[in-house]
Amino acid sequence: MTRRITSVRGGLLAVAAALTLGTTTPSAAAQDSGNWLFVTVTRGDGGHHEAPGRLLLCDPPTGHTKAAEACADLDRVGGDISRLQRKDAFCPMVYAPVTAHAHGEWNGQPVEYRETFSNGCGMAARTGAVFAVDG
């Protein structure tokens, strides 16, 4: 138990240092801490200038304000974002595309997901709290 807590704490410290230095990929220490995804949301329909992302860790849930909800959603679908159930939402018919990208590991399996949505509301309805990277 102590080793796991130390490993998670060390991973979190390494990630915090990496993000402070402006890197956009998680460190090896973070990858050893269990289920994790590095998530980004880019305005527009291209992914060439990806915005800085957030590292979503799920043991314990941390990374953004809806981390616990995101981890619960991901746990229900075994980390497969494409299997998340669409939520009912009334979204505006405004074209303001956003591209959601996630890569990481869930239950020892690699995760890679990228999809462009017509707007942020559509993205949230389709992916739940996973990409809630804005405060």
Side-chain angles (χ1 to χ4, degrees):
M1 179 74 171
T2 303
R3 177 166 162 41
R4 184 177 179 152
I5 291 171
T6 303
S7 175
V8 170
R9 186 176 300 135
L12 292 174
L13 290 174
V15 170
L19 292 176
T20 300
L21 295 173
T23 59
T24 59
T25 57
S27 69
Q31 296 173 16
D32 290 338
S33 65
N35 294 338
W36 64 275
L37 293 178
F38 189 74
V39 297
T40 59
V41 177
T42 307
R43 304 289 176 217
D45 51 10
H48 9 35
H49 300 301
E50 215 165 70
R54 299 282 179 100
L55 182 63
L56 175 64
L57 297 171
C58 290
D59 189 21
T62 187
H64 58 64
T65 57
K66 294 187 177 181
E69 184 181 340
C71 291
D73 288 346
L74 288 164
D75 196 41
R76 281 191 292 276
V77 296
D80 185 353
I81 298 169
S82 65
R83 290 182 42 218
L84 288 171
Q85 295 294 313
R86 180 169 182 80
K87 295 180 170 96
D88 289 335
F90 293 103
C91 293
M93 298 292 288
V94 174
Y95 186 69
V98 293
T99 300
H101 178 232
H103 69 272
E105 185 174 296
W106 199 269
N107 294 333
Q109 299 298 311
V111 173
E112 186 68 35
Y113 174 87
R114 181 183 301 271
E115 189 169 348
T116 300
F117 299 89
S118 61
N119 56 45
C121 179
M123 177 187 68
R126 177 67 184 84
T127 63
V130 175
F131 293 98
V133 295
D134 296 333

